[in-house]
Amino acid sequence: AYEKGLFSGTTPTSFSPYAPMTRAMLVTVLYRLEGEPAVTGRSGFSDVQYNGYYEDAVTWAADNGIVNGISTSTFSPNANVTREQMAAILYRYAQYKKYNTAASSGLNGFTDHASVSGYAAASLEWAVAEKLVNGSEGRLLPTGNATRAQVAAILHRFVENVAKTTA
C-alpha cells in the first residue's frame, strides 16, 4: 500500500501501523487508489478543512456517494474510523466502481454480531464473504477502531479479491 502511493508515512521515517486510521486518512487512500480525479466545489461539510490534505478526497467521495457525514453538515475527518464504517465505505466504493457486491455471509458466527449497526450490516456481510474482514477471536469488533495496518491489509485483499476478479 505504501509502495503504490496509497498510504503515506506518519513521518518521513515512520508508518505507525498500530495507530488508528482516521476517516480522512481512509477516504484519502481510496481517492489515491482512484487516481486522484479532479473535483469541483467543496464537500459541504463544515468541519472539512479548506485546502486540508483530505479536502479533495472527501469532496470526491461525498459527490460519488462513497461517504456520508456523521451528520448532514459534519464529516468528522479526524475521528478514528470504526471497523463497520470502514466496511461501509469500502462497500460503497465497490458499488461506485460497479464491482460485484452480491456476496453475503451471515454474521451469526461472530459473538458480537448483534452490536453491528443497522447501516453497516450488509456491508460487513459482504466484507466477511469477500474475506476482507476476518474478525478477531470470534468477534467482529464493529465499533472498534481500525488501525493503519488493518486497513492496509484489508485494502490489499480488496484489490486482490474484489478489484482483480471484477476487472
Side-chain angles (χ1 to χ4, degrees):
Y2 177 78
E3 286 179 4
K4 297 289 185 192
L6 303 179
F7 277 70
S8 296
T10 53
T11 72
T13 59
S14 301
F15 185 77
S16 304
Y18 302 109
M21 187 87 166
T22 67
R23 291 170 53 82
M25 286 177 192
L26 177 59
V27 173
T28 300
V29 166
L30 291 178
Y31 181 63
R32 290 175 182 154
L33 180 62
E34 191 59 22
E36 300 183 62
V39 298
T40 56
R42 304 221 36 234
S43 69
F45 297 118
S46 62
D47 59 350
V48 170
Q49 180 184 348
Y50 180 71
N51 284 336
Y53 79 89
Y54 57 84
E55 182 187 18
D56 285 350
V58 174
T59 301
W60 164 79
D63 286 350
N64 289 290
I66 298 165
V67 296
N68 299 317
I70 297 297
S71 73
T72 57
S73 62
T74 58
F75 180 71
S76 295
N78 298 317
N80 296 337
V81 69
T82 66
R83 293 166 56 86
E84 68 183 6
Q85 288 171 353
M86 176 198 54
I89 291 168
L90 274 177
Y91 181 73
R92 288 188 219 112
Y93 178 69
Q95 290 176 321
Y96 162 78
K97 295 293 288 181
K98 299 187 178 3
Y99 295 154
N100 184 351
T101 56
S104 182
S105 178
L107 302 179
N108 290 343
F110 297 96
T111 59
D112 59 351
H113 68 91
S115 63
V116 173
S117 300
Y119 80 88
S123 304
L124 274 169
E125 289 168 354
W126 167 79
V128 168
E130 291 289 356
K131 298 185 178 19
L132 303 178
V133 174
N134 302 315
S136 176
E137 298 176 357
R139 297 177 298 150
L140 283 170
L141 307 168
T143 59
N145 295 334
T147 67
R148 290 171 52 85
Q150 289 170 336
V151 173
I154 289 166
L155 188 65
H156 178 262
R157 290 190 292 265
F158 177 85
V159 170
E160 290 294 314
N161 300 344
V162 178
K164 271 192 179 174
T165 59
T166 309

